[in-house]
Amino acid sequence: MSNTADVVIVGGGPVGAVLALALGNAGRAAVVVEPHAADDIAGPTRPVALSYGSRLILDRLDAWARLAPATAITHIHVSQRSGLGRVMLTARNAGLPALGYVVDYGGLRTALAGLLAARAHARVMRGAVTKVVPGHDRARVEYSCGDASGQIEAKLVVIADGGAIGDDFPSHTVDYRQNAVVAVVSTEKPHRNTAFERFTPAGPLALLPYDEHYALVWSVAPEHAQALCGLPAAEFACELEREFGGRLGAFSGVAQRAAFPLILKVTADSGSPRVVRVGNAAQTLHPVAGQGLNLGLRDAWELAAELARTAPRDIGSSAACSAFRARRRLDRSGGIGFTDALVRGFSNDLAPLRTARGIALTALGCVPPARDFVMRRMVFGPRA
Ligand SMILES: Cc1cc2nc3c(=O)[nH]c(=O)nc-3n(C[C@H](O)[C@H](O)[C@H](O)COP(=O)(O)OP(=O)(O)OC[C@H]3O[C@@H](n4cnc5c(N)ncnc54)[C@H](O)[C@@H]3O)c2cc1C
């Protein structure tokens, strides 16, 4: 089977789906190639924090109202274990109704897939892409679906596969030697829409308000993560309380435990026309400060805006691809640098660094313009 299209999107995850929907709003058609059917993608609960800026994107695509539950984060308490210094970031100081929201990743995907299925501008094809071949006038996408295979030629191929393919593109990878243990936990005290980011020598520990509970993202050494996942729930809750402290009372009701390896992977765009990368396919970040998906959604939104401005004959041209990459450079390098610096600077127990971190956290709380700049940058990216 052979086919042609203006734009092919490899991967119908949140970033690929948002791109297809935003293109549709601009009257531009796209073909999405995704191996999983809409009713086969929800998977186990994995809460993710979306910034208020991401909410605005999803609102404009009529997707936000379909997400439930979406628990508002109005306060973020940042601290370090066994060290001084803390800061409270608040939606009020940022002049926003919320700094962000915690939603279920699977629920988000299901909502976006439902919207895509109803849109005339987007065609979703079931298949796993095996190869993307850039060319001068068009790029070729080869895919397989069961025993069948096929190819599509497009003016522009957008790789949004979460980083699954693309080993033929050069990439820069850092293995943080940390795994994220995720779980949904209950606490003695109510969350009052407050998230916690607590830096420990082993890695950051985040608690995100999620419905009536907390979603935990706890970064530790891989062997410790395996041990934590294997503990009986009550022992896990004790370990968590030992690490986090007693601010929320006792932990209980531990559910949905899983571990994810954590890396930084930045895949270079070849600089050639016809192929660009968005979301995790371009940059896979450590989940500290919950930046990865938010950055990916801004990738998708900005690419759709760039394509809406581009004359149909110039879609995928060298100039159009370069304009998109230039537009995303600051936000991407900021997100990569910010998360990498947090992980490296905070995941240790060196006394001079501990003191410097304490001073930095205290200073951030005492200098409102600096605090508000950091907050708005985290929420909206550099176009705050
Ligand atoms: C523990 C953890 C916690 C996180 N918490 C947060 C958070 O709080 N906030 C935040 O912003 N980010 C968070 N992230 C990061 C976030 O999950 C990712 O940035 C986000 O999922 C990337 O979306 P994506 O659409 O680019 O890729 P994915 O979500 O990986 O989707 C990729 C899609 O491509 C499809 N695909 C794969 N291979 C192929 C192929 N060969 N052909 C076609 N399609 C293919 C897949 O089926 C999938 O549908 C977290 C990550 C982890 C690991």
Side-chain angles (χ1 to χ4, degrees):
M1 176 177 158
S2 181
N3 245 323
T4 59
D6 274 357
V7 179
V8 169
I9 302 169
V10 178
V15 172
V18 159
L19 173 61
L21 291 170
L23 282 174
N25 276 9
R28 294 284 161 92
V31 174
V32 180
V33 187
E34 164 63 46
H36 299 291
D39 56 1
D40 173 33
I41 56 175
T45 300
R46 177 157 85 74
V48 286
L50 292 178
S51 66
Y52 185 76
S54 292
R55 179 207 164 134
L56 295 182
I57 291 177
L58 295 171
D59 249 341
R60 287 173 195 151
L61 301 173
D62 297 328
W64 183 253
R66 293 175 170 237
L67 296 179
T71 311
I73 301 173
T74 56
H75 295 67
I76 304 178
H77 182 278
V78 187
S79 63
Q80 61 171 337
R81 187 171 187 240
S82 358
L84 293 172
R86 65 202 56 202
V87 62
M88 181 70 99
L89 308 176
T90 69
R92 208 169 129 211
N93 285 334
L96 298 170
L99 291 169
Y101 302 84
V102 185
V103 305
D104 176 38
Y105 170 85
L108 171 65
R109 292 191 51 150
T110 307
L112 293 170
L115 279 169
L116 267 185
R119 294 282 167 93
H121 279 93
R123 181 157 64 98
V124 182
M125 287 180 47
R126 185 88 70 83
V129 170
T130 49
K131 200 168 184 183
V132 175
V133 185
H136 188 259
D137 295 325
R138 287 180 172 269
R140 192 175 74 244
V141 168
E142 298 175 0
Y143 64 91
S144 64
C145 183
D147 293 336
S149 62
Q151 57 183 45
I152 318 175
E153 294 205 336
K155 290 180 187 168
L156 176 67
V157 174
V158 183
I159 304 183
D161 66 344
I165 59 168
D167 286 341
D168 29 348
F169 291 84
S171 62
H172 166 68
T173 305
V174 176
D175 183 352
Y176 287 117
R177 298 273 314 130
Q178 292 179 359
N179 278 11
V181 175
V182 301
V184 177
V185 297
S186 302
T187 48
E188 210 176 333
K189 296 185 187 167
H191 59 60
R192 299 186 202 285
N193 299 96
T194 300
F196 291 87
E197 185 79 66
R198 186 153 176 78
F199 292 98
T200 82
L205 186 166
L207 282 165
L208 309 169
Y210 182 59
D211 205 6
E212 298 295 307
H213 313 282
Y214 265 107
L216 168 72
V217 185
W218 185 4
S219 305
V220 293
E223 46 287 1
H224 189 196
Q226 290 314 313
L228 285 172
C229 286
L231 283 179
E235 284 180 39
F236 181 88
C238 287
E239 285 280 324
L240 178 56
E241 194 179 333
R242 206 173 359 255
E243 199 66 12
F244 178 74
R247 194 172 268 112
L248 290 170
F251 288 94
S252 60
V254 177
Q256 319 257 9
R257 256 179 293 171
F260 296 84
L262 300 179
I263 57 162
L264 165 66
K265 185 173 177 192
V266 183
T267 305
D269 247 325
S270 59
S272 62
R274 308 294 162 202
V275 181
V276 294
R277 309 175 75 87
V278 290
N280 270 32
Q283 63 273 319
T284 300
L285 308 184
H286 191 290
V288 63
Q291 293 293 296
L293 180 52
N294 294 297
L295 187 58
L297 295 182
R298 295 199 291 275
D299 276 350
W301 188 254
E302 298 272 351
L303 179 56
E306 195 66 47
L307 287 170
R309 282 192 291 271
T310 306
R313 69 171 181 284
D314 293 330
I315 288 176
S317 67
S318 201
C321 291
S322 299
F324 167 68
R325 291 182 194 119
R327 202 176 163 78
R328 295 301 300 142
R329 195 162 295 133
L330 183 60
D331 195 9
R332 284 174 162 179
S333 57
I336 293 164
F338 179 58
T339 53
D340 191 48
L342 283 180
V343 179
R344 288 173 192 269
F346 279 85
S347 300
N348 61 69
D349 208 12
L350 303 170
L353 278 182
R354 196 170 55 235
T355 309
R357 293 189 301 249
I359 293 169
L361 285 176
T362 308
L364 197 62
C366 295
V367 185
R371 179 199 62 201
D372 298 349
F373 171 82
V374 170
M375 270 194 295
R376 294 192 71 84
R377 183 80 191 248
M378 283 173 65
V379 171
F380 294 113
R383 287 172 199 280

